[in-house]
Amino acid sequence: MSPARLETFADGVFAIAATLLILTVDGAVRGEGIGLSASLTHAWPAYVGYVVSFLTIGIMWVNHHTIMSLVVRVDRRFLIANLGLLMCIAFVPFPTRLIAENIRGAGAESAALAYGFTLTATAIFFNAVWFYAAVGRRLLRADADPRVVAGITRTYRVGPWIYLGATLVAFASATASAILYLAITALYIFESSIFGGRETIPD
Amino acid sequence: MSPARLETFADGVFAIAATLLILTVDGAVRGEGIGLSASLTHAWPAYVGYVVSFLTIGIMWVNHHTIMSLVVRVDRRFLIANLGLLMCIAFVPFPTRLIAENIRGAGAESAALAYGFTLTATAIFFNAVWFYAAVGRRLLRADADPRVVAGITRTYRVGPWIYLGATLVAFASATASAILYLAITALYIFESSIFGGRETIPD
Amino acid sequence: MSPARLETFADGVFAIAATLLILTVDGAVRGEGIGLSASLTHAWPAYVGYVVSFLTIGIMWVNHHTIMSLVVRVDRRFLIANLGLLMCIAFVPFPTRLIAENIRGAGAESAALAYGFTLTATAIFFNAVWFYAAVGRRLLRADADPRVVAGITRTYRVGPWIYLGATLVAFASATASAILYLAITALYIFESSIFGGRETIPD
Amino acid sequence: MSPARLETFADGVFAIAATLLILTVDGAVRGEGIGLSASLTHAWPAYVGYVVSFLTIGIMWVNHHTIMSLVVRVDRRFLIANLGLLMCIAFVPFPTRLIAENIRGAGAESAALAYGFTLTATAIFFNAVWFYAAVGRRLLRADADPRVVAGITRTYRVGPWIYLGATLVAFASATASAILYLAITALYIFESSIFGGRETIPD
């Protein structure tokens, strides 16, 4: 299987998971008639959740592309690691709904934990995919730039810890945990626009 | 990342968002037995909303393709602007349901505002995508026709104002606002079929 | 826009519309516990509806590909006709649910009419797409085989009448109408497997 | 139709069916407030069902690709067999929900049977697709390795019997049947990672 075909399948899962997020918003607003305006205002955590999860999935799609642009061939183990990763990505709409519905109530802690563990698992699978490909340059292109490879290794290694940290904060404060999820995404978007913003992304 | 890959991902989001619109119609008709015929008739705003939003997303898909046909490379900022745009496109099914369910009742104003602000935000992101690529011809192909570039710039600049105008009309009359959304789409289809209808669209 | 890009977008809509059909089956079986077995049996019209609509969309996908394989370029009017066609295809899951839920009850006539009018509209848009491309060979490849072109023209011309006929039968008997929808699909599959079954489909 | 185009359409159905599985999980957790934590724990069969069905669809996607990599051309009968296969794949989210909701209750047997018959039918259609292409090497590439062809034939022939066996176990014990479905997927992943794990998958 060419890396391109795997990437096409993966892109499908990324695009569908991101687009299904709207069902969270749609489910959050059920008031009719005179109550619609209040219902629309009350549903603000659903909008925030939509934006954060959409951008998170979007960033992961870019990161997945960056990996695939360095990979020259695909074997069965790499494929299975990718299936695990996609399984996590497609899971994201579920904890997004939980957090949107519960962040203001008694279920906030459970919801924040569910969201955090999903993203931690996703970050772990990103590491599985990357390290399987990169260790000993097993699946990498011969011309893959060693500095780029080392840079990805450095960044990915901390990913699960950052998300695990934000998740554990939920035991103290679910709100703080949710703000951290938002901040991680916002920081990535910000950093990536200011520095590196004009870098051409590898084909 | 090649413009082609970004476009494939974007096309997925456009296609899914458009196809998910049917859930609005599906949710609007719940009568069974003898009441089905009345329920089907009563749901007419859902059919109108389906057609208008499907065509609106379809037109935006064509416009997005026109931009991408002029773009020669993709950088991170351009990618993030595109994610913002796709986030708006995938949002469209939600206010479509609101307007289909509420246009005849007390929630009409809120629904028309939600629809209008979504399309205004979409038009703003279209501008962000376009101007980021086009200012100083930053990401444009060397052979991009200056008249085509100037034409897009002219058209896009007014887009948010047109949608904002139609949105603000909702404070006076939600029905008038909804008719304007329909008229904008109908005009585009009409204009595009009469003039320019035989133009080959750029690859 | 190259015919290939339009076809990729269309393929997305075909694939999503077909896959969303499962929501009809899913909604039809809600019994739990001891009642599940009865609920599963009782839902048989949903399975039939799923199979008929899935195969109908599948056949339309093949037919759309056959058109696109003869088309050499795309203009705005052709694109808009295609959007209309896709709008009908994406609509199919809705009347499929109606017919699955209502074919045994008082709503059978309305449901059969809704299904039939949707497929009649789809057949009309297929004609719009085809004749716009084929009249005067406007958008056809120079090497498009005239016998193939004439054959498609002959077949498509009768399509709307066949579906309209089956639809109008619903005024006499909704069940007869539903059996005709099934028979049209079954005949196509059968005919296409016996004759023409070993023909290579054009690229 | 080129095998590549059929594969693109099929990949769309695989990706959407897999991603729609999250609706099963989403529907299983409806508690709010203080009850959310208990609801999340209670829904564990939905998580297991999600993982098993996602990986099963993922494995089928890889297997479908392996077939398509050996196929040089597509005729109408092959296409129709593929539509039947995709119809089964897109069906998987439905029995996954049944099993997730009912495995602990009185509906367990019905749910396990529904899941098993779906996968048995899928395995039968895989055989239809493969044997139609492979008998007399009807649609295979001239350079298709005879050992690979014989290997697939050997493996596919037992597929439906394995799933039928696991299905019939449900008459004795639905739980045992469900564990067998999980075990079949786990074994495949395990076997495929240990042996053959470093094999490059054919383009």
Side-chain angles (χ1 to χ4, degrees):
Chain A
M1 184 176 294
S2 69
R5 177 144 290 280
L6 169 56
E7 200 175 353
T8 304
F9 180 74
D11 282 9
V13 174
F14 280 104
I16 302 157
T19 314
L20 283 182
L21 287 167
I22 195 59
L23 298 183
T24 287
V25 178
D26 204 54
V29 179
R30 282 291 153 200
E32 270 189 69
I34 204 69
L36 179 59
S37 173
S39 176
L40 278 167
T41 314
H42 187 257
W44 66 262
Y47 315 137
V48 178
Y50 175 80
V51 170
V52 172
S53 290
F54 198 101
L55 292 178
T56 302
I57 292 178
I59 292 166
M60 286 171 172
W61 167 66
V62 178
N63 288 344
H64 189 256
H65 173 73
T66 306
I67 294 181
M68 295 309 291
S69 70
L70 298 167
V71 161
V72 72
R73 62 184 187 86
V74 167
D75 68 15
R76 284 191 185 272
R77 287 184 196 169
F78 185 69
L79 209 59
I80 287 165
N82 269 280
L83 284 180
L85 174 60
L86 295 174
M87 199 169 72
C88 292
I89 304 281
F91 201 80
V92 169
F94 167 60
T96 301
R97 174 181 70 79
L98 293 181
I99 223 167
E101 282 182 1
N102 292 285
I103 194 65
R104 288 171 302 199
E109 187 185 299
S110 302
L113 289 172
Y115 194 87
F117 283 128
T118 301
L119 290 188
T120 307
T122 310
I124 290 171
F125 270 106
F126 253 116
N127 275 280
V129 165
W130 172 247
F131 284 102
Y132 183 72
V135 166
R137 302 176 72 91
R138 191 186 278 127
L139 307 177
L140 298 192
R141 307 161 70 97
D143 62 350
D145 183 338
R147 282 166 312 174
V148 172
V149 171
I152 294 178
T153 296
R154 223 168 22 239
T155 320
Y156 276 32
R157 204 174 272 163
V158 297
W161 300 107
I162 289 175
Y163 273 116
L164 184 62
T167 307
L168 297 179
V169 165
F171 287 112
S173 160
T175 309
S177 175
I179 290 170
L180 281 172
Y181 303 140
L182 187 152
I184 294 168
T185 302
L187 266 173
Y188 186 95
I189 298 278
F190 185 75
E191 179 266 329
S192 166
S193 307
I194 303 303
F195 316 104
R198 295 199 180 167
E199 272 172 40
T200 303
I201 298 166
D203 280 347
Chain B
M1 183 177 292
S2 68
R5 178 143 289 279
L6 168 55
E7 201 175 351
T8 304
F9 181 73
D11 281 10
V13 174
F14 280 104
I16 301 157
T19 313
L20 283 182
L21 286 167
I22 196 59
L23 299 183
T24 287
V25 178
D26 204 55
V29 179
R30 282 292 153 199
E32 269 190 69
I34 204 70
L36 179 59
S37 172
S39 176
L40 279 168
T41 314
H42 187 256
W44 67 262
Y47 314 137
V48 178
Y50 175 79
V51 170
V52 172
S53 289
F54 198 100
L55 293 178
T56 302
I57 292 178
I59 291 166
M60 286 171 173
W61 167 66
V62 179
N63 288 344
H64 189 256
H65 173 73
T66 306
I67 294 181
M68 296 308 292
S69 68
L70 298 168
V71 161
V72 71
R73 62 184 188 85
V74 167
D75 69 14
R76 284 191 186 272
R77 287 185 197 170
F78 185 70
L79 209 60
I80 286 165
N82 269 280
L83 284 181
L85 173 60
L86 295 174
M87 199 168 72
C88 292
I89 304 281
F91 202 80
V92 168
F94 167 60
T96 301
R97 174 181 71 78
L98 292 182
I99 222 167
E101 281 182 3
N102 292 284
I103 193 65
R104 287 171 303 199
E109 188 185 300
S110 302
L113 289 173
Y115 194 86
F117 283 128
T118 302
L119 289 188
T120 307
T122 311
I124 290 171
F125 271 106
F126 254 116
N127 275 278
V129 165
W130 173 247
F131 284 103
Y132 184 72
V135 166
R137 301 177 72 92
R138 191 186 277 126
L139 306 178
L140 298 192
R141 308 161 69 98
D143 62 350
D145 183 338
R147 281 165 313 172
V148 172
V149 171
I152 295 178
T153 296
R154 226 170 18 241
T155 319
Y156 276 33
R157 204 174 274 164
V158 296
W161 301 106
I162 289 175
Y163 272 116
L164 184 62
T167 307
L168 297 180
V169 165
F171 286 112
S173 161
T175 309
S177 175
I179 290 170
L180 281 172
Y181 302 141
L182 187 151
I184 293 168
T185 303
L187 266 173
Y188 186 95
I189 298 278
F190 184 76
E191 179 266 328
S192 164
S193 307
I194 302 303
F195 317 103
R198 294 200 180 166
E199 271 172 41
T200 302
I201 298 165
D203 280 348
Chain C
M1 184 176 292
S2 69
R5 179 143 288 279
L6 170 55
E7 199 174 352
T8 304
F9 180 74
D11 282 10
V13 174
F14 280 104
I16 301 156
T19 314
L20 282 182
L21 287 167
I22 195 59
L23 298 183
T24 286
V25 177
D26 204 54
V29 179
R30 281 291 154 199
E32 269 190 67
I34 204 71
L36 180 60
S37 172
S39 176
L40 279 167
T41 313
H42 187 256
W44 67 261
Y47 313 138
V48 178
Y50 176 79
V51 170
V52 172
S53 289
F54 198 101
L55 292 178
T56 302
I57 292 178
I59 291 166
M60 286 170 172
W61 168 67
V62 178
N63 289 343
H64 190 255
H65 173 73
T66 305
I67 294 181
M68 295 308 291
S69 69
L70 298 167
V71 162
V72 72
R73 64 185 186 84
V74 168
D75 68 15
R76 283 191 186 272
R77 288 184 195 170
F78 184 70
L79 208 59
I80 287 165
N82 269 280
L83 284 180
L85 174 60
L86 295 174
M87 198 169 73
C88 292
I89 304 282
F91 202 80
V92 168
F94 167 59
T96 301
R97 174 180 72 78
L98 292 182
I99 223 168
E101 281 181 4
N102 292 284
I103 193 65
R104 287 169 303 198
E109 187 184 299
S110 302
L113 289 172
Y115 195 87
F117 283 129
T118 302
L119 289 188
T120 307
T122 310
I124 290 171
F125 271 106
F126 254 117
N127 275 279
V129 165
W130 172 246
F131 284 102
Y132 183 72
V135 166
R137 302 178 71 94
R138 190 186 278 126
L139 306 178
L140 298 193
R141 308 161 68 97
D143 61 349
D145 184 339
R147 282 166 313 175
V148 172
V149 171
I152 295 178
T153 296
R154 227 172 16 243
T155 320
Y156 275 33
R157 204 174 272 162
V158 297
W161 300 107
I162 289 175
Y163 272 116
L164 184 63
T167 307
L168 297 180
V169 165
F171 286 112
S173 161
T175 309
S177 175
I179 290 170
L180 281 172
Y181 302 140
L182 187 151
I184 293 168
T185 302
L187 266 173
Y188 185 95
I189 298 278
F190 184 75
E191 178 266 330
S192 165
S193 307
I194 302 304
F195 317 102
R198 294 200 179 166
E199 273 172 39
T200 302
I201 297 166
D203 280 346
Chain D
M1 184 176 292
S2 68
R5 179 144 288 280
L6 169 56
E7 199 174 352
T8 304
F9 181 73
D11 282 10
V13 174
F14 279 104
I16 301 156
T19 313
L20 283 182
L21 287 167
I22 195 59
L23 298 184
T24 287
V25 178
D26 204 55
V29 179
R30 282 291 153 200
E32 269 189 69
I34 205 69
L36 179 60
S37 172
S39 176
L40 278 168
T41 314
H42 187 256
W44 66 262
Y47 313 137
V48 178
Y50 176 79
V51 171
V52 172
S53 289
F54 198 101
L55 293 178
T56 302
I57 292 178
I59 292 165
M60 286 171 173
W61 168 67
V62 178
N63 288 344
H64 189 256
H65 173 73
T66 306
I67 294 181
M68 296 308 291
S69 70
L70 298 167
V71 161
V72 71
R73 63 186 185 83
V74 167
D75 68 15
R76 283 191 185 273
R77 287 184 196 170
F78 185 69
L79 208 60
I80 286 166
N82 269 280
L83 284 180
L85 174 60
L86 295 174
M87 199 168 72
C88 292
I89 304 281
F91 202 80
V92 169
F94 167 59
T96 301
R97 174 181 70 79
L98 292 181
I99 224 167
E101 281 182 4
N102 291 285
I103 193 65
R104 288 170 300 198
E109 188 185 298
S110 302
L113 289 173
Y115 195 86
F117 282 129
T118 302
L119 290 188
T120 307
T122 311
I124 289 171
F125 270 106
F126 254 117
N127 275 278
V129 165
W130 172 247
F131 283 103
Y132 183 72
V135 166
R137 301 177 73 92
R138 191 186 277 127
L139 306 178
L140 298 192
R141 307 161 71 98
D143 62 350
D145 184 338
R147 281 165 313 174
V148 172
V149 171
I152 294 178
T153 296
R154 225 171 18 241
T155 319
Y156 276 32
R157 203 174 273 162
V158 297
W161 300 107
I162 290 175
Y163 272 116
L164 184 63
T167 307
L168 297 179
V169 165
F171 286 113
S173 161
T175 310
S177 176
I179 291 170
L180 281 172
Y181 303 140
L182 186 152
I184 293 167
T185 303
L187 265 174
Y188 186 93
I189 298 278
F190 185 74
E191 178 266 330
S192 164
S193 306
I194 303 304
F195 317 103
R198 295 199 181 168
E199 272 172 40
T200 303
I201 298 165
D203 280 346

